[in-house]
Amino acid sequence: MRTDTPVTIHRQDYAPPAFLVDRVGLEFRLDPAATEVRARLALRRNPAAAADAPLRLDGDGLALQEARMDGTVLPPERLVFGADGSLTIADPPASGLLETLVRIAPEANTSLMGLYTSGGNFYTQCEAEGFRRITFFPDRPDVMSRYTVTIHADRLRCPVLLSNGNLVEQGGEGATHWVRWEDPHPKPSYLFALVAGDLVSVSDRFTTRSGREVALHIWVRRGDESRCGHAMDSLKRSMAWDEEVFGLEYDLDVFNIAAVSDFNMGAMENKGLNVFNTKYVLASPESATDGDWQGIETVVAHEYFHNWTGNRVTCRDWFQLSLKEGLTVFRDQEFSADMGSRAVKRIRDVRGLRAAQFPEDAGPMAHPVRPDSYIEIDNFYTPTVYQKGAEVVRLIHTRIGAAAFRRGMDLYIARNDNQAVTIEDFVRAMQDASGIDLSSFMGWYDQAGTPEIAAEDRYDPAARRYTLTLRQQTPPTRGQADKRPVPIPVAMGLLGPDGREQPTRLASENAAQSGTRTLLLEAAEQSFVFEDVPAPPVPSLLRGFSAPVRLRGVPRDRLRFLAVHDTDPFVRWESGQQYAASVMLEMVAAQQRGEALGFDAALAEAVANTLAAADADPAFAAEALVLPGEGFLADQMEIADPVAIHLVRRHLRAEIGRRCGPALRATYDALADHGPYRIDGASIGRRALRNACLAYLTAAGDTALAKAQFDAATNMTDSLAALALLADGDGPAREAALASFHARWRGDDLVLDKWFAIQAMAARPDAIAQVRALQAHPDFDLKNPNRARSLIASFAAGNPSQFHDLSGEGYRFLADAVIALDPVNGSIAARLVGPLGQWRRQSAARGALMRRELQRVLDTPDLSKGTFEKASKALL
Ligand code: TRP
Ligand code: ZN
């Protein structure tokens, strides 16, 4: 057990920094075991802070060698070290030059925060609070400084020395050399970066709209150069898109991306020097799936877009994290929608939101998009801050329209450039640019929980009047018992009995409108009256998923009708999914009562219809064919039953595979790819549809087809789709496929991650024994976050029927992994706790076992504060 209780930070306690740092000079002497960091800080009292506020510098694990103020050595009595690693300087002058020298050990740094080594090279990660592991500094985003960085290193071991901004000088003789980088833009410490080592670059150029020539470099290990093309192409398209759509240009002469295989998250937007997980840079057709290609495009764009939304305009404090993350996710979603199929992109994003954010919002870690408090900020890089945050930006976009939103962005940037600001500043810019009062939208930032809406309607044939009543309600979450109504834009239309879209006229309007319109539900209950409605219509609600809410209680006959007729592709897809979900939940109940599982012929009919119309849009058809996931179904139940859900889904897949066998096979055969491998939206869509067919055919018992596809595959998408299906089954085909895949890819980290993940997610009765055995595999490495996630998180989050095995062994496996990982990498360990927090939504027996494991985690000596926060909140 921890002997202290970690401090909780509250949003309401914000106070401006006591001192500002106008300029920072950093000088590194790189050495894996003992790196020296000399820092020169030009400090001055912040006029906006109390005149006697102490000069406190954050630090974490730093060994101070020397400290001087304006050239004079500071005596020990003026240096006060805090238990948290900080350094306070007694009797500070109103302004001065503070110089410190510290020593750190990058090769011993397994947390991957601060300066660390990977494969013999040096990398940094400073967001959110990693800079304090490099030097003493007011490590908070509202202290913005201009940086000059000098790096000395061994010429042979570190031929490449990178930092933010522009390279201004270099030199050195003999074994060591040095370079100096200067970043002209003031920035918070979390955007500092340094990369050094034996790296090679793939280079290109981009000319901005106003004629700036930008050198683009992607830095990778020798041998990886041939797999950078897609990342580079994505970068250039992102740069062009941000100019065209938002009028935002790049603002330095060089843009560097460095790829590293030991990395805590996806990527990091450091000014002028993005650092990426190799997973989001390297791709070749043989080794990367179509999903990987799309992930690279999205993440490259996301980090690039941060240059304006995050870097030029940054966050005042970490409670405002969604100011940059929600907005930047919204921007990368729009970019990807413009690059491919907007409808399919929206479906995927909503699927992701429901798979991760909805459960979070209904569980013990539920928090508002702008949280009120935290113990460890690392724990708040969540689906709520990112995905729900993006949905809230989208709500505002929907409410005020694209043109006003663009004016709002211009205003937001003009007003706040080079400043650290709050979510209010963003909403105010949107409000001022649109002239629409957005004050009630703050409810979306400050209330946790997913609002639920329900519709009721009435048709009066004599008056030809249709009344639609919408109600909303947000369930209570911890610390927020009573919720206010929030403004919910409901994009909608009315379909006539013939399935045709009808013009709509509200009672308050003079003329009818055609197509989709947006109602604004602001109160707990509101009625909308439509006139001149010739026949009882079917309402199509929440088109394009116009708000992150749960729409409850749409009757099945309407779902079927909408799935076929609606003009909005999202609602067509959604209605099919909701129909299937409602059938499946009924079957789960039957399974629990011990009754035989029947079959709803309408599901086979829907599959047949989808296949018949698939030519028009294969990617959409693929989305429509996939049954609602196990997690989505569990999230619909008060008390989940992961085993019953799994059985029902498997049963349905097999039944559909049998009943639609010939049509599925015909589609599968027709989509065989004969030409050269291509990665474009159409080709990706065809592969997705073909693999969706393969999944049903395999579920119906035909494993020969999957085996044949696996043996013949020339691209990773087809190979992996087949391998996943084989790995789910039994017998020699499974073992042979896994062995040959491993033999072929043993030298490729990113592909081996897939090999681990596929086995961890195979819903076989021996899954727990398998993951335990894989943990002892020579290729397993707990220290590498990608590898740790590929086995542990894939199992706990991606294999619910086995994770929730009634023996409790799945829970024990996860807790063991968290306890082993915590001292190595506390951020990753804390992230793994999540699935154990869902105990309230499990049976009493499972819940007791889950709580026992959470308690065991909490009882571990010296637990990191992040893991403490997750495990203790999970138990509440
Ligand atoms: N800001 C980064 C992004 O949005 C994510 C990030 C935050 C991160 N903290 C991190 C990445 C720590 C790596 C490690 O893309
Ligand atoms: Zn981001």
Side-chain angles (χ1 to χ4, degrees), residues 197-216:
D198 185 12
L199 298 168
V200 291
S201 80
V202 169
S203 303
D204 207 329
R205 309 196 65 78
F206 183 85
T207 309
T208 68
R209 205 166 53 166
S210 61
R212 182 195 286 268
E213 279 283 319
V214 185
L216 311 176

Side-chain angles (χ1 to χ4, degrees), residues 556 580-593 595-600 603 644 647-649 651-652 655:
R556 274 198 199 169
S582 115
V583 169
M584 291 168 86
L585 289 170
E586 217 169 76
M587 291 173 75
V588 167
Q591 165 77 22
Q592 288 174 322
R593 291 191 301 266
E595 293 165 15
L597 293 176
F599 185 78
D600 179 343
L603 290 178
L647 287 174
V648 163
R649 198 162 184 275
H651 167 82
L652 273 187
E655 276 298 314

Side-chain angles (χ1 to χ4, degrees), residues 451-761:
E452 296 173 3
I453 67 174
E456 206 180 292
D457 56 357
R458 201 159 16 95
Y459 179 68
D460 178 347
R464 292 162 53 93
R465 178 173 297 141
Y466 173 72
T467 307
L468 177 68
T469 301
L470 298 175
R471 292 191 185 83
Q472 66 161 299
Q473 173 247 325
T474 303
T477 51
R478 188 189 303 146
Q480 288 186 335
D482 298 309
K483 311 276 185 173
R484 293 165 278 142
V486 286
I488 301 176
V490 180
M492 57 85 65
L494 298 179
L495 302 186
D498 57 355
R500 300 268 285 275
E501 178 99 24
Q502 300 186 348
T504 50
R505 181 169 78 80
L506 287 170
S508 56
E509 297 167 342
N510 296 323
Q513 291 183 21
S514 57
T516 298
R517 64 186 303 147
T518 304
L519 308 175
L520 186 66
L521 171 63
E522 293 177 284
E525 177 179 327
Q526 242 168 292
S527 289
F528 300 89
V529 179
F530 295 88
E531 304 289 354
D532 309 325
V533 181
V538 171
S540 159
L541 301 176
L542 226 59
R543 284 181 170 175
F545 201 61
S546 60
V549 302
R550 298 177 195 259
L551 172 59
R552 300 275 199 205
V554 182
R556 274 198 199 169
D557 56 335
R558 285 189 170 180
L559 291 173
R560 283 183 68 177
F561 184 86
L562 290 165
V564 176
H565 296 293
D566 199 27
T567 52
D568 182 69
F570 176 82
V571 169
R572 276 205 312 280
W573 171 80
E574 167 74 347
S575 303
Q577 292 286 305
Q578 294 291 354
Y579 180 87
S582 115
V583 169
M584 291 168 86
L585 289 170
E586 217 169 76
M587 291 173 75
V588 167
Q591 165 77 22
Q592 288 174 322
R593 291 191 301 266
E595 293 165 15
L597 293 176
F599 185 78
D600 179 343
L603 290 178
E605 232 171 83
V607 167
N609 290 337
T610 301
L611 290 172
D615 270 357
D617 189 348
F620 178 84
E623 294 297 334
L625 280 186
V626 177
L627 290 172
E630 295 178 25
F632 178 75
L633 295 169
D635 187 45
Q636 313 285 304
M637 298 173 71
E638 189 109 28
I639 297 296
D641 188 338
V643 173
I645 289 172
H646 180 72
L647 287 174
V648 163
R649 198 162 184 275
R650 206 172 63 188
H651 167 82
L652 273 187
R653 281 157 54 94
E655 276 298 314
I656 290 171
R658 272 191 287 277
R659 291 174 195 235
C660 303
L664 288 161
R665 184 61 201 249
T667 304
Y668 180 84
D669 290 338
L671 290 167
D673 213 342
H674 297 300
Y677 180 76
R678 301 235 318 258
I679 297 178
D680 52 51
S683 308
I684 291 173
R686 283 197 299 275
R687 281 191 289 276
L689 179 56
R690 187 162 188 261
N691 284 320
C693 293
L694 178 67
Y696 280 116
L697 292 164
T698 308
D702 181 5
T703 51
L705 202 57
K707 186 176 177 330
Q709 175 167 320
F710 178 77
D711 291 339
T714 55
N715 65 75
M716 185 52 73
T717 303
D718 290 341
S719 170
L720 206 66
L723 181 64
L725 295 169
L726 294 172
D728 237 7
D730 270 316
R734 168 189 157 87
E735 301 314 321
L738 285 168
S740 83
F741 192 87
H742 182 268
R744 164 136 194 231
W745 294 107
R746 59 184 318 153
D748 188 320
D749 293 344
L750 295 173
V751 183
L752 275 192
D753 290 338
K754 301 177 194 302
W755 182 80
F756 277 98
I758 271 189
Q759 295 175 80
M761 292 190 296

